[in-house]
Amino acid sequence: QVQLVESGGGLVQAGGSLRLSCAASGRTFNSYNMGWFRQAPGKEREFVAAISRSGAGTYYSDSVKGRFTISRDNAKNTVYLQMNSPKPEDTALYYCAAASVGMGPTTKYDYWGRGTQVTVAS
């Protein structure tokens, strides 16, 4: 079992910045590709970004590319999402997820956190 706990969400003004963190349990964190997803009320869950096991490879949705940065620190069992210049449309519940095989929007993610709310004020 892998447990994921997100933190860092909150209220941020458009054009500001926010960093989300996801802490993972266990000794096998570096065995997983990691991803961030989000879901707004009334909408389907949406892929945001992913990062490979070593952190060398990243993948972003077009909607956040150039504004958000995903990173990880395997020594701390933590993955981050740096949100720069957030927009009101970025408002959503943000989830951290772990995948044993593959990465990106079509990958099957095996474990999910409970989410952290991000609200962007215009």
Side-chain angles (χ1 to χ4, degrees), residues 72-92:
R72 68 191 295 164
D73 186 339
N74 287 347
K76 295 182 177 180
N77 278 17
T78 303
V79 62
Y80 305 95
L81 184 69
Q82 178 68 42
M83 304 171 61
N84 293 333
S85 300
K87 306 173 181 178
E89 51 262 45
D90 295 319
T91 294

Side-chain angles (χ1 to χ4, degrees), residues 94-119:
Y94 282 72
Y95 297 93
C96 175
S100 58
V101 179
M103 62 179 289
T106 62
T107 297
K108 179 183 182 298
Y109 286 83
D110 304 295
Y111 303 99
W112 296 81
R114 293 183 178 181
T116 185
Q117 178 67 37
V118 173
T119 302

Side-chain angles (χ1 to χ4, degrees), residues 5-9 19-23 36 115-116:
V5 181
E6 303 94 336
S7 63
R19 189 180 75 160
L20 307 183
S21 298
C22 173
W36 285 98
T116 185

Side-chain angles (χ1 to χ4, degrees), residues 18-82:
L18 197 67
R19 189 180 75 160
L20 307 183
S21 298
C22 173
S25 67
R27 301 181 296 108
T28 60
F29 178 70
N30 63 356
S31 297
Y32 295 92
N33 300 312
M34 300 296 297
W36 285 98
F37 292 77
R38 65 189 183 187
Q39 186 169 25
K43 298 182 66 177
E44 295 294 318
R45 187 173 59 202
E46 175 189 16
F47 171 80
V48 176
I51 189 166
S52 64
R53 296 171 180 85
S54 68
T58 58
Y59 192 91
Y60 297 92
S61 69
D62 290 340
S63 62
V64 307
K65 190 176 300 180
R67 299 188 298 118
F68 293 5
T69 302
I70 188 171
S71 62
R72 68 191 295 164
D73 186 339
N74 287 347
K76 295 182 177 180
N77 278 17
T78 303
V79 62
Y80 305 95
L81 184 69
Q82 178 68 42

